[in-house]
Amino acid sequence: MDISTIGIVGAGQMGNGIAHVMALAGYSVTLSDVDQDALDKAVALIEKNLDRQVSREKISAEERDSALSRITATLDIAKAGATDLVIEAATEQEAVKHKIFESLAPHLLPHTILTSNTSSISITRLASRTDRPEKFLGFHFMNPVPVMQLVELIRGIATDKETYEACMAVVDRLGKTAASAEDFPAFIVNRILVPMINEAVYTLYEGVGNVRSIDLAMKLGANHPMGPLELADFIGLDTCLAIMNVLHDGLADTKYRPCPLLTKYVEAGWLGRKTKRGFYDYRGDEPVPTR
Ligand SMILES: CC(=O)CC(=O)SCCNC(=O)CCNC(=O)[C@H](O)C(C)(C)COP(=O)(O)OP(=O)(O)OC[C@H]1O[C@@H](n2cnc3c(N)ncnc32)[C@H](O)[C@@H]1OP(=O)(O)O
Ligand SMILES: NC(=O)C1=CN([C@@H]2O[C@H](COP(=O)(O)OP(=O)(O)OC[C@H]3O[C@@H](n4cnc5c(N)ncnc54)[C@H](OP(=O)(O)O)[C@@H]3O)[C@@H](O)[C@H]2O)C=CC1
């Protein structure tokens, strides 16, 4: 099946990155959100990131302009539904995602493939509430989308071969690499990465190190490009907590217990970079550790 139009639901940090790479690869993109402010910010950020690519001579000014002309931002979810491939990239809450797939249902074309960029939630369960579980796939990009090479593809129990192959062809056209994961809580990357981040928060909670020393230790001691707390702020602490809850509930093992300190930051609304405060405070010129 040939895919030329893409609908993205959710214009947060992942939605804007996915719109960016899809438009650059020549797809016609409809980006939707419930919030006009989120849409405006997403388009401005895409423009800024494309400009940076032009200034670093990764793309030409013409490629930037035609990519931008292929993106339509809208509050109308119906327009995102009437496309060849829908990628849901809204907040990591199962109820929110079910509601989005329900709202999309009347607007889908008969051949529309439905996917979710979820970090952790069961693809089989999301698919089972739609009219097309065989045309449903986990399409999991990594953050920042324009930079990261990997896309995890997760088949639900009913996903058919044609759907998987059509999405694999999209990954190829983006110049990215796919890894297949089975549909178990948090798939591959986050099953390994997010418990490590949670352990870093326990390390902070128990006073083994402070924010700076924990991040420094993992950057210089394990050659990670970002320390685990810096990375948690980058991902979003609400998303990290949601993933730990899916692992804890789905695998029923206490080793996935979310650290109470992570919960406390989320309860405070200190969600990391996106709210300008998390394990670091980003309101000044330089990030300042909050512990
Ligand atoms: C939670 C989930 O479900 C799954 C996940 O995504 S988990 C998170 C996975 N991601 C990671 O682990 C990221 C870890 N961090 C890194 O790899 C690096 O710190 C990084 C790539 C983000 C930045 O690298 P860096 O060397 O410190 O920064 P910098 O030199 O400024 O940037 C490198 C390139 O990335 C680009 N870049 C950096 N941040 C970007 C962003 N947010 N958006 C777009 N492009 C970005 C820069 O423009 C630069 O591009 P060029 O090479 O074309 O010049
Ligand atoms: N952050 C990361 O590193 C990664 C995240 N993911 C996954 O991608 C998805 C999005 O994450 P991310 O972009 O970080 O989250 P963000 O919080 O940055 O963005 C989520 C966006 O979805 C919007 N939204 C909420 N409800 C709806 C709705 N009903 N309809 C349309 N839009 C809605 C939010 O609007 P508002 O702000 O108004 O609520 C917000 O603009 C999640 O499933 C996450 O797990 C996957 C890979 C990496």
Side-chain angles (χ1 to χ4, degrees), residues 9-15 33-35 38 89-92 96-97 100 117-119 140-141 143 235 239 274:
V9 183
Q13 51 182 341
M14 294 308 289
D33 200 284
V34 281
D35 181 6
T91 313
E92 185 73 348
V96 169
K97 294 186 186 295
I100 286 171
N117 184 53
T118 177
S119 296
H140 184 210
F141 287 86
N143 187 13
I235 292 170
T239 303
K274 63 185 167 188

Side-chain angles (χ1 to χ4, degrees), residues 223-275:
N223 261 5
H224 289 193
M226 287 177 171
L229 300 173
E230 187 189 355
L231 181 58
D233 276 358
F234 182 64
I235 292 170
L237 303 190
D238 53 339
T239 303
C240 292
L241 179 61
I243 297 168
M244 285 312 297
N245 280 325
V246 168
L247 282 165
H248 194 230
D249 295 347
L251 298 169
D253 190 326
T254 53
K255 75 179 176 182
Y256 299 113
R257 192 169 70 99
C259 180
L261 187 59
L262 178 60
T263 306
K264 191 191 290 235
Y265 270 75
V266 173
E267 284 172 351
W270 293 16
L271 306 182
R273 279 186 176 273
K274 63 185 167 188
T275 57

Side-chain angles (χ1 to χ4, degrees), residues 10-12 16 31-45 71-77 79:
N16 90 66
L31 178 62
S32 79
D33 200 284
V34 281
D35 181 6
Q36 185 61 45
D37 193 40
L39 288 170
D40 294 344
K41 280 191 186 140
V43 172
L45 195 55
I71 300 174
T72 307
T74 176
L75 289 169
D76 184 3
I77 197 170
K79 297 202 173 97

Side-chain angles (χ1 to χ4, degrees), residues 61-84:
E62 292 71 37
E63 284 171 306
R64 172 199 58 202
D65 294 344
S66 55
L68 278 172
S69 74
R70 281 192 282 268
I71 300 174
T72 307
T74 176
L75 289 169
D76 184 3
I77 197 170
K79 297 202 173 97
T83 54
D84 299 329

